[in-house]
Amino acid sequence: MSKIKLKFKKRTNESYIIYCEPNIVNSIPKYLHKHKFGKRYCVITDNKIQKIHGNNLQKLLKQNNISAEIISVAPGEDAKSLENIKKICEKLIKLGFNRNDCIIALGGGVIGDLAGFVAAIFMRGLAYIQIPTSLLAMVDSSVGGKTGINLEELKNILGAFKQPKAVFIDSLFLDTMPKAEIQNGLAECIKYGASLDKRFFKYLEKNIPLIYKPEKDSEYNYNQKVLNKIIEISIRLKSRVVQIDNKETGLRRVLNYGHTFGHAIEAASKHKIPHGHAISIGMCLINEKLVRDKILKNKDAQRIKQLLDNTGLPTSLPDNIKKSDLLTLMKSDKKNKNRGQINFVKIKKIGDFILE
């Protein structure tokens, strides 16, 4: 089992461990008894994940004498709404939850954002842990403490920094995910390689094709060895950045490479384009700009585009979205330093970034 400690020097009480191991979900009751994150637990998930994993987790906890309730919402980006926040908080009040209790976020990035935001504001904050079930959530949103909900077309415009008490990464969850969901998560892994680590980028070029087993009827049967290494390296790269800048005031902004365009693309599509797909296109668009500005060599931009292509990710805008459509949305991006001034994370070569 891999244990990755995310340690904050100035806020040691917010430090936590990320546990990575296939089938670790069955060991979670042991960790909850040992660390006593809460007297009672409430699993927040979506209706789809509840049927696949949520009911089993609740049963497992109760079998181990752990009090566990479950609250589910409709799946999809639209779940990240003020209306759902209100409904979940009302249910927690009705169930008698208080600051001595703990929330479990079980699901993808949407659920992590939603549950984490509830944990940040309910009774001015209570503990929560992350159990991500998608590759995208495993390598990105479950690590680092950023939570958020959407307001109209603006993605994550309302949010808080709330570090979990622990993160449990069980790659066997991915065997219930279609190939498209794996590809969606790999966009963030490619982002890490392109902006932070050229050796990891080379590893991805060589090994992404090995994730998918060639046998018939094996769409949901992935190469766990390769997936686990990609997950672990991605988490280590993100953790190194977050440990230095946990509130996104400086270095952490590098994690937004491709995201200024990407978030605008998601909004322009009314969230019909998945996050990973939007970030893939976003990386290509910013790279085109960097090549024009003679900051990035075209051969590096093409190499990144080729890896995204080989992964099965889109690399250009769909016909119904124009670059001009994105300008207003990008000016409203919460990461901009000055009103109306668009800030981009740039790379000058693979594995080497520039912050404005």
Side-chain angles (χ1 to χ4, degrees), residues 238-253:
K238 181 170 184 178
S239 296
R240 288 171 193 166
V241 172
V242 172
Q243 285 177 147
I244 296 169
D245 175 20
N246 71 321
K247 292 293 179 70
E248 203 173 40
T249 57
L251 178 63
R252 186 168 177 168
R253 287 187 291 119

Side-chain angles (χ1 to χ4, degrees), residues 43-54 70-76 79 106-108 110-111 114 133:
V43 178
I44 296 179
T45 188
D46 68 46
N47 300 336
K48 184 177 179 180
I49 296 297
Q50 179 180 358
K51 292 177 182 178
I52 301 172
H53 303 299
I70 191 162
I71 297 174
S72 65
V73 298
L106 176 71
V110 167
I111 289 300
L114 185 67
T133 59

Side-chain angles (χ1 to χ4, degrees), residues 42-242:
C42 181
V43 178
I44 296 179
T45 188
D46 68 46
N47 300 336
K48 184 177 179 180
I49 296 297
Q50 179 180 358
K51 292 177 182 178
I52 301 172
H53 303 299
N55 292 332
N56 289 335
L57 176 61
Q58 184 184 33
K59 182 179 179 181
L60 175 67
L61 296 176
K62 288 186 174 182
Q63 286 174 341
N64 285 272
N65 298 315
I66 296 172
S67 176
E69 303 291 343
I70 191 162
I71 297 174
S72 65
V73 298
E77 187 70 24
D78 288 344
K80 289 166 55 174
S81 67
L82 283 171
E83 181 182 0
N84 269 340
I85 293 293
K86 180 175 180 289
K87 288 180 179 179
I88 292 170
C89 289
E90 287 173 344
K91 288 182 181 179
L92 288 172
I93 292 169
K94 187 175 181 179
L95 290 168
F97 273 72
N98 60 46
R99 294 174 70 180
N100 295 316
D101 300 319
C102 180
I103 284 173
I104 298 175
L106 176 71
V110 167
I111 289 300
D113 277 348
L114 185 67
F117 189 70
V118 169
I121 65 169
F122 187 75
M123 294 190 175
R124 295 198 176 99
L126 68 166
Y128 87 111
I129 64 174
Q130 287 265 18
I131 309 176
T133 59
S134 70
L135 180 59
L136 183 61
M138 290 177 186
V139 301
D140 182 41
S141 57
S142 68
V143 178
K146 285 171 67 173
T147 75
I149 59 172
N150 306 329
L151 192 61
E152 296 180 351
E153 78 276 7
L154 299 177
K155 184 179 175 71
N156 295 334
I157 198 68
L158 303 178
F161 287 95
K162 174 71 173 177
Q163 301 296 343
K165 291 296 182 182
V167 181
F168 297 93
I169 308 288
D170 189 338
S171 61
L172 292 182
F173 281 140
L174 301 180
D175 279 342
T176 65
M177 294 288 171
K179 185 176 180 178
E181 283 298 315
I182 304 299
Q183 294 167 329
N184 195 40
L186 286 171
E188 291 285 355
C189 304
I190 293 169
K191 176 200 74 176
Y192 294 132
S195 61
L196 293 172
D197 191 327
K198 64 180 181 181
R199 288 181 299 177
F200 183 43
F201 189 87
K202 289 180 181 178
Y203 177 84
L204 293 173
E205 286 180 310
K206 181 179 179 181
N207 288 279
I208 279 179
L210 303 181
I211 291 173
Y212 313 109
K213 294 184 178 180
E215 295 88 353
K216 292 181 179 180
D217 302 321
S218 64
E219 183 183 10
Y220 297 177
N221 186 17
Y222 304 111
N223 186 325
Q224 287 288 330
K225 182 178 180 180
V226 173
L227 271 177
N228 273 288
K229 184 163 184 177
I230 289 174
I231 291 168
E232 182 179 346
I233 295 173
S234 296
I235 291 172
R236 289 190 185 280
L237 287 170
K238 181 170 184 178
S239 296
R240 288 171 193 166
V241 172
V242 172

